[in-house]
Amino acid sequence: MKNISILGSTGSIGVNTLDVIGSNPSIFKVVALSAGSNITLLKKQIEKFRPKVVSVIDDNYACLLKEMLDFPSRIKVLCGVDGYREIASVKEADMVVSAIVGAAGLLPTMEAIYAGKNIALANKETMVMAGSLVVEEAASKGVAILPVDSEHNAIFQCLAGSRQEDIKRIILTASGGPFLNVSGEELLKVKPADALKHPRWEMGKKITIDSASMMNKGLEVIEARWLFDVDINKIDVHIHPQSVIHSMVEFIDGSVIAQLGVADMRGPISYALSYPERLSRTNYPPLDLLKMGTLELLPPDFEKFPNLRLAYLAGTQGGTMPAVLNASNEVAVEAFIAEEIRFVDIPTVVRETLSLHRKKEISSIEDVLEADRWARDKAAKIINTLKE
């Protein structure tokens, strides 16, 4: 039996993780859950999985949740910083699933690593913002970081049994999002509702907007650099609209190994939770290649989607630049969803914020958090000028 704690249980990854756990009750047990403000869904999860401790965003929601529970005395309800710290480090947990979206996932994930918990990582921002620190701390604690993102999980599978020195390059695939065949001129007019119509994956709002702008793939490039210790210039992106090939690795002898599967996050989640074993998934639809038709692979359009180029730039520069990239993008995406700026303004905000930042090498988590705070303030000011 493997005991699981989930940071972000009511998001799309958290919900899918609980679905995998619920389908394998003899293998996994939920011991702790954290959520934001969706206490209605959290209550249902508590009733089904019976964790010993849960946490929500603040004291008000904690009080509301206690009132909703039939047996509040049987479960420990926490909130805020103390709450996520306990969820991340609860003694009984063998593995922590890091599924909080955005920069908010950094500190809880670090708490889990400090506590020596193996990590199923769905929060790519942890690696983008503080990759060097995360890798160093995980190594010192003997913590395994198992990727949940479909692309990185695919690479992890492709690399099984291979030597690091045999890797020639990593090829991340991208669906291309809803605007793959939309002209640059048409991008000037798109609304948040248009960007939220992803053709293949069901995800939260922020990651869906990032997918539409290609920032998600840019963040994944930086994440892959740290997860697999590969120079960022050896990580390429191919557009693959069918989302069947989840990513590939090319080796020095010319061999290319790809991982294929249906577009269903329960696949990579299952592998991360059960590694090094594999779970039988007879209740999910199989991949039928004979019915897939043509599988396309196309080069990315860096001109139409400048966020991808900006991510390569920040990742290459290193230090605090990826944290600034991530924070300015998060602020810009929020402004776009609120219809304060246009879709095409997102890379403008990111580019200008990066250009104003003086890079600093990272020696502590405070360096990362300070860069994050600086970038959010600067990006907000840039957005105000765009609204004038």
Side-chain angles (χ1 to χ4, degrees):
M1 181 70 73
K2 185 179 287 187
N3 291 331
I4 307 292
S5 176
I6 302 176
L7 296 162
S9 68
T10 57
S12 62
I13 295 296
V15 169
N16 278 308
T17 299
L18 287 172
D19 187 72
V20 171
I21 292 172
S23 299
N24 297 276
S26 64
I27 301 174
F28 304 115
K29 179 183 178 183
V30 174
V31 294
L33 298 173
S34 83
S37 58
N38 189 352
I39 56 175
T40 301
L41 178 54
L42 180 60
K43 176 178 180 287
K44 293 179 181 176
Q45 294 175 342
I46 291 169
E47 290 171 344
K48 181 172 182 180
F49 294 97
R50 305 283 179 173
K52 62 172 289 188
V53 55
V54 300
S55 178
V56 291
I57 191 168
D58 61 29
D59 191 54
N60 289 332
Y61 281 103
C63 291
L64 286 172
L65 180 62
K66 288 177 184 175
E67 292 173 2
M68 293 165 64
L69 295 174
D70 294 331
F71 302 100
S73 61
R74 295 182 184 177
I75 184 168
K76 190 174 180 181
V77 179
L78 301 171
C79 65
V81 174
D82 290 341
Y84 78 65
R85 281 181 171 161
E86 180 148 346
I87 302 301
S89 59
V90 62
K91 182 180 177 182
E92 294 84 352
D94 301 304
M95 171 176 278
V96 174
V97 178
S98 172
I100 294 174
V101 176
L106 173 61
L107 291 180
T109 307
M110 290 302 292
E111 286 290 337
I113 295 172
Y114 294 146
K117 307 297 183 184
N118 288 332
I119 307 292
L121 185 68
N123 175 265
K124 60 178 66 69
E125 289 81 2
T126 293
M127 281 299 186
V128 171
M129 297 173 69
S132 59
L133 295 178
V134 174
V135 169
E136 182 179 344
E137 189 66 29
S140 71
K141 296 286 186 182
V143 164
I145 298 180
L146 301 161
V148 168
D149 265 348
S150 61
E151 295 84 353
H152 302 82
N153 191 277
I155 295 164
F156 184 63
Q157 295 189 48
C158 293
L159 288 173
S162 299
R163 301 187 308 168
Q164 183 75 17
E165 58 267 34
D166 290 340
I167 302 171
K168 183 176 183 181
R169 63 170 174 155
I170 284 172
I171 303 170
L172 291 172
T173 56
S175 70
F179 305 139
L180 175 61
N181 298 312
V182 170
S183 70
E185 190 169 312
E186 290 173 302
L187 283 181
L188 295 169
K189 304 172 186 176
V190 302
K191 298 294 183 184
D194 304 318
L196 290 171
K197 294 176 183 173
H198 196 282
R200 295 288 175 186
W201 298 94
E202 290 187 14
M203 305 175 287
K205 282 186 179 180
K206 195 268 180 180
I207 192 172
T208 306
I209 300 295
D210 281 350
S211 181
S213 73
M214 292 295 286
M215 179 57 89
N216 186 54
K217 202 54 51 182
L219 298 177
E220 288 178 358
V221 168
I222 301 172
E223 180 185 12
R225 178 263 175 272
W226 290 110
L227 278 174
F228 305 110
D229 191 23
V230 172
D231 188 287
I232 201 164
N233 294 313
K234 292 184 177 180
I235 303 172
D236 289 335
V237 172
H238 287 6
I239 304 299
H240 174 49
Q242 294 77 26
S243 297
V244 171
I245 305 170
H246 293 151
S247 276
M248 298 173 273
V249 176
E250 181 180 356
F251 294 91
I252 55 175
D253 64 355
S255 296
V256 177
I257 296 181
Q259 190 267 335
L260 284 68
V262 295
D264 185 333
M265 282 307 299
R266 291 172 295 184
I269 290 169
S270 295
Y271 191 65
L273 293 185
S274 63
Y275 180 82
E277 299 174 6
R278 291 180 182 271
L279 299 177
S280 175
R281 299 179 66 229
T282 55
N283 54 336
Y284 304 142
L287 174 64
D288 188 343
L289 285 171
L290 295 178
K291 295 181 180 178
M292 292 308 303
T294 302
L295 299 181
E296 302 169 281
L297 289 166
L298 310 164
D301 187 336
F302 287 93
E303 299 304 319
K304 194 167 77 172
F305 300 106
N307 272 344
L308 185 55
R309 191 188 303 281
L310 292 170
Y312 270 104
L313 175 66
T316 302
Q317 293 177 325
T320 50
M321 298 304 278
V324 171
L325 172 96
N326 180 69
S328 57
N329 178 64
E330 287 193 10
V331 175
V333 168
E334 289 175 7
F336 169 64
I337 291 174
E339 300 195 47
E340 296 174 349
I341 61 173
R342 301 172 300 171
F343 181 75
V344 294
D345 290 331
I346 295 174
T348 301
V349 173
V350 176
R351 183 187 304 109
E352 291 192 19
T353 308
L354 284 171
S355 70
L356 294 171
H357 185 64
R358 297 185 67 178
K359 171 190 157 185
K360 181 180 178 182
E361 296 302 328
I362 295 172
S363 59
S364 71
I365 201 69
E366 270 307 313
D367 292 334
V368 178
L369 298 177
E370 174 55 31
D372 179 87
R373 286 191 289 267
W374 178 91
R376 289 176 191 277
D377 178 68
K378 193 64 65 178
K381 290 176 180 174
I382 294 168
I383 288 169
N384 284 334
T385 65
L386 292 172
K387 291 191 290 187
E388 291 174 353

